[in-house]
Amino acid sequence: MSVPPDCRGTGHAACHHGEILQGVFLDATGRRCAGLVTLPMAGMGSRAEFTRCPGTPPERLTVRPGDRTKAARAAALAVEECARLRREPPCGGELRITGDIPVGLGMGSSTSDVIAVVRAVADAYGVRLAPDAVARLAVRAERACDPLMLDARPVLFAQREGRVLEVLGPCLPPLVVVGCALGGGAPVDTLALPVPTYDGSEVRAFERLRALLRRAVATGDAALLGQVASVSARQGQQLLRHPEFDTLTDIGRRLGTLGVQIAHSGAVAGLLLDPAAPGLRDRIRGCVRALDSNGIAATRVFATFPSFPSVPTKEFPSGPAHRGGHRPARPDTPRRPARLPAL
């Protein structure tokens, strides 16, 4: 039996490249909240297609792939919410999820799945859900979520509550990021990590970092942002303890990068470069070469501004520059985004 077109919906959500800042912060009432600021990354993401089947019980919901349990919970919750808004009984349906985000690296793969699913269900119902409503559903589906429903806006986000603590500004300062994966890219079981506790002095230190990051965004100060990210990354190592972290920071200091950033719940990390400094391509190659020579898997080069395409690091080889017709394109050459290489 054919399905009416108005019963089908699609949704998409991007990923991120770990965090710039993560810790415990004070909300407007002075209450402590776990919060984070993610580093957005264009190019990869999750896509979902949902077909609702009116007249079927809501528990008759099929999900492919079948192991996407968080996405399945998100679909059920979104069906309940959208049906309520439409003032009709919830029903079952068919959900299909595709994507190209590596799992377990701290790039928000599960949140991307969840948001894409919620958007697909809303589209199938002809309902438009506000970002804060999407965030609430995402937290209910996976206990904590990243602020991917807000697209690329830099915000301090309470990931366990699904709410914005502070909008830091319209956009991040211009940065080029040479991405890598620590620990050979082995997935990190986020839920198995202990929940850190912080005393008053540590919370005040996080608030100082928050103020510095606010200033960096307001003034477009990429160097200051790099300092904040580096301090936050080192703080995160008290929990994650990546053995290559000191090597990564040494590479950054030796090559004059602005700093490092890292996923606080995974293995993805990045060297932060100033795109306005001379010799950008040579500096990118130098970073890729240094990472490779120290056994750290270089993955992708991307930026916080749209004119720089996100490309795998094979486009910036670690060997001598190619000559003639084999020379890699310039950083501002339009390029079809490529997938993160398998790690």
Side-chain angles (χ1 to χ4, degrees):
M1 183 176 66
S2 63
V3 178
D6 61 356
C7 286
R8 293 190 178 99
T10 60
H12 176 267
C15 66
H16 63 78
H17 199 264
E19 282 71 42
I20 296 170
L21 175 63
Q22 182 163 336
V24 172
F25 306 89
L26 302 178
D27 68 6
T29 68
R31 184 172 66 88
R32 294 183 182 183
C33 300
L36 51 79
V37 181
T38 56
L39 178 61
M41 177 177 165
M44 294 186 292
S46 297
R47 290 161 291 280
E49 299 178 2
F50 179 71
T51 303
R52 60 189 179 97
C53 302
T56 62
E59 60 270 16
R60 190 173 295 174
L61 178 66
T62 60
V63 182
R64 295 185 178 87
D67 61 347
R68 305 296 174 90
T69 56
K70 294 178 181 179
R73 286 198 297 270
L77 292 168
V79 164
E80 181 182 352
E81 176 70 7
C82 293
R84 181 186 65 80
L85 293 173
R86 285 279 298 263
R87 297 185 177 181
E88 61 183 59
C91 65
E94 298 180 359
L95 177 66
R96 182 177 296 275
I97 306 165
T98 58
D100 52 6
I101 307 172
V103 176
L105 292 186
M107 298 176 69
S109 59
S110 62
T111 295
S112 183
D113 281 353
V114 163
I115 294 173
V117 165
V118 171
R119 288 173 170 170
V121 172
D123 187 39
Y125 273 90
V127 170
R128 185 173 181 84
L129 296 176
D132 60 341
V134 176
R136 286 195 299 271
L137 291 173
V139 168
R140 290 177 63 191
E142 56 171 342
R143 299 200 328 209
C145 70
D146 299 309
L148 299 175
M149 72 294 297
L150 302 170
D151 299 318
R153 264 194 308 165
V155 299
L156 179 63
F157 187 76
Q159 70 270 25
R160 295 175 191 159
E161 302 174 24
R163 64 187 179 101
V164 175
L165 299 177
E166 180 181 355
V167 177
L168 297 170
C171 60
L172 291 173
L175 290 167
V176 170
V177 183
V178 179
C180 62
L182 305 181
V188 173
D189 184 357
T190 307
L191 297 179
L193 296 175
V195 178
T197 57
Y198 300 105
D199 60 25
S201 64
E202 290 172 310
V203 174
R204 288 190 292 273
F206 284 127
E207 282 294 320
R208 287 192 291 271
L209 290 175
R210 173 184 183 175
L212 291 174
L213 183 56
R214 182 189 303 125
R215 185 198 309 169
V217 172
T219 61
D221 190 336
L224 182 57
L225 183 148
Q227 294 173 24
V228 171
S230 296
V231 173
S232 181
R234 184 162 293 281
Q235 175 73 29
Q237 291 310 297
Q238 296 180 15
L239 183 65
L240 293 174
R241 303 186 185 280
H242 290 299
E244 312 101 322
F245 180 75
D246 287 338
T247 300
L248 180 68
T249 57
D250 288 344
I251 290 171
R253 280 193 295 268
R254 179 162 49 85
L255 297 182
T257 68
L258 300 177
V260 301
Q261 62 85 214
I262 196 166
H264 289 249
S265 60
V268 73
L271 295 167
L272 307 178
L273 304 179
D274 180 0
L280 177 61
R281 285 189 67 83
D282 288 340
R283 288 185 292 120
I284 292 173
R285 283 199 189 94
C287 289
V288 173
R289 184 183 300 115
L291 291 169
D292 287 346
S293 65
N294 282 278
I296 300 175
T299 54
R300 198 172 195 84
V301 179
F302 66 99
T304 58
F305 51 95
S307 61
F308 189 99
S310 174
V311 296
T313 50
K314 66 183 180 181
E315 301 292 344
F316 296 94
S318 58
H322 293 280
R323 298 180 180 275
H326 298 289
R327 180 178 300 160
R330 293 173 57 84
D332 55 355
T333 301
R335 188 188 305 276
R336 181 180 178 183
R339 293 180 59 168
L340 189 73
L343 297 174

